[in-house]
Amino acid sequence: MTLSTTVTDVQHKHVTIRKFNDRPVSDELVTSILEAARRGAPTSSNRQTYSMIVVRNPNVKKELAVVAGGQEHVETCQVFIAFCADIRKLTTACEIHNVTLMNSLEATLVSTVDAALVGMSVNTAAESFGLGAVMIGAMRNDVEKAAKLLGLPKGVYCVFGMCLGWPDENQRPPQKPRLPEDVIIHYEQYKTEGFREAILEHNKELADHYNSLGNNKHDAAWTWHIANQLQHPRRPDLREKIENQGFSFS
């Protein structure tokens, strides 16, 4: 038996929404979600090394959709939010006290994690109001173009984006199966026993899910997708472009 609250009920109902209706998303609602998220999201050492850029301008969303590889929902969603790692505020804090910020891999990791944490907090808050969302990691396809469109200064880069809107209920997808609990959750120490077998079983479960939708994927639905996606380097110039935005990997 598992326990539940209104929050966990929302989380258990999560699906990715890419089709939205035309119902407006008010500024008041967006503000309420973002304020709840920034209060509820943990942040390392109270640094708050993230920024959120709310985009409604249809022309900018259209250009961001191009950056994201032509993902239509970036353009058609009511609200697009860019979640950015932001060490610029750290530089400002150090300057106030005549100290030079020692930029490092740690600062890059912390700010990226901060952005991810607040993004997940926004996702949960949005779904609690009945909104739908999809996260857009493809904003990293062109870090420099995204920075230009969003007006990001040095010390800020877009980690990912999020489309928000009211779901088109006629096109709400069913939930996908997740990897088995034993592959994800470990107690005391990482467990490898039965790991491969559990993943192979998930292949079948996910293939059955796709087949039920008439979307015939590979029989090894999960591992084939992962292997096919990762057999070649993705975004090989990503490190250079993030460094150009003022971050360090050393």
Side-chain angles (χ1 to χ4, degrees):
M1 185 182 81
T2 57
L3 304 178
S4 66
T5 66
T6 53
V7 175
T8 60
D9 285 345
V10 168
Q11 291 175 312
H12 277 296
K13 294 175 183 176
H14 167 74
V15 293
T16 295
I17 299 296
R18 294 181 173 85
K19 299 291 184 180
F20 304 97
N21 64 33
D22 295 330
R23 179 182 170 188
V25 179
S26 70
D27 289 338
E28 180 184 21
L29 179 54
V30 173
T31 298
S32 298
I33 289 167
L34 299 187
E35 285 297 313
R38 75 187 191 94
R39 171 51 60 185
T43 175
S44 179
S45 300
N46 197 30
R47 292 181 184 178
Q48 302 167 73
T49 48
Y50 63 85
S51 290
M52 298 178 282
I53 316 295
V54 179
V55 181
R56 290 185 180 270
N57 186 310
N59 294 325
V60 176
K61 288 191 297 175
K62 184 175 183 179
E63 290 296 318
L64 290 170
V66 174
V67 173
Q71 296 187 54
E72 181 184 4
H73 34 278
V74 175
E75 182 178 356
T76 59
C77 67
Q78 290 286 340
V79 180
F80 181 85
I81 303 174
F83 294 90
C84 303
D86 183 352
I87 60 172
R88 181 176 172 81
K89 55 177 64 74
L90 302 183
T91 300
T92 300
C94 289
E95 288 174 347
I96 289 172
H97 297 281
N98 297 314
V99 172
T100 300
L101 172 68
M102 296 301 293
N103 200 357
S104 65
L105 173 60
E106 175 69 6
T108 299
L109 285 175
V110 166
S111 58
T112 302
V113 170
D114 269 4
L117 291 172
V118 77
M120 189 62 243
S121 191
V122 167
N123 191 100
T124 301
E127 290 184 354
S128 76
F129 282 102
L131 288 167
V134 55
M135 293 189 179
I136 310 295
M139 297 313 301
R140 299 188 301 277
N141 286 349
D142 192 335
V143 169
E144 293 170 344
K145 180 69 178 295
K148 183 177 180 180
L149 290 168
L150 297 167
L152 305 183
K154 294 288 185 182
V156 186
Y157 88 93
C158 182
V159 182
F160 63 96
M162 181 186 294
C163 302
L164 281 181
W166 299 105
D168 180 344
E169 294 298 343
N170 294 323
Q171 300 191 64
R172 178 183 286 270
Q175 282 190 318
K176 288 181 185 178
R178 294 296 200 195
L179 282 165
E181 176 184 339
D182 290 347
V183 176
I184 301 294
I185 302 173
H186 307 268
Y187 295 94
E188 308 303 342
Q189 290 187 331
Y190 196 104
K191 186 182 75 172
T192 59
E193 182 181 354
F195 194 87
R196 181 185 179 93
E197 292 75 13
I199 289 177
L200 290 172
E201 183 62 29
H202 180 64
N203 272 340
K204 182 179 184 303
E205 182 184 25
L206 189 58
D208 289 345
H209 166 78
Y210 286 132
N211 287 331
S212 73
L213 301 175
N215 185 6
N216 296 316
K217 300 280 187 176
H218 197 285
D219 286 344
W222 190 76
T223 55
W224 178 84
H225 167 73
I226 298 300
N228 187 57
Q229 189 179 55
L230 299 181
Q231 64 180 317
H232 303 294
R234 301 194 73 194
R235 306 180 183 116
D237 59 350
L238 181 60
R239 174 173 178 164
E240 178 185 356
K241 290 188 174 182
I242 292 177
E243 287 178 332
N244 288 342
Q245 277 300 116
F247 291 80
S248 174
F249 285 87
S250 60

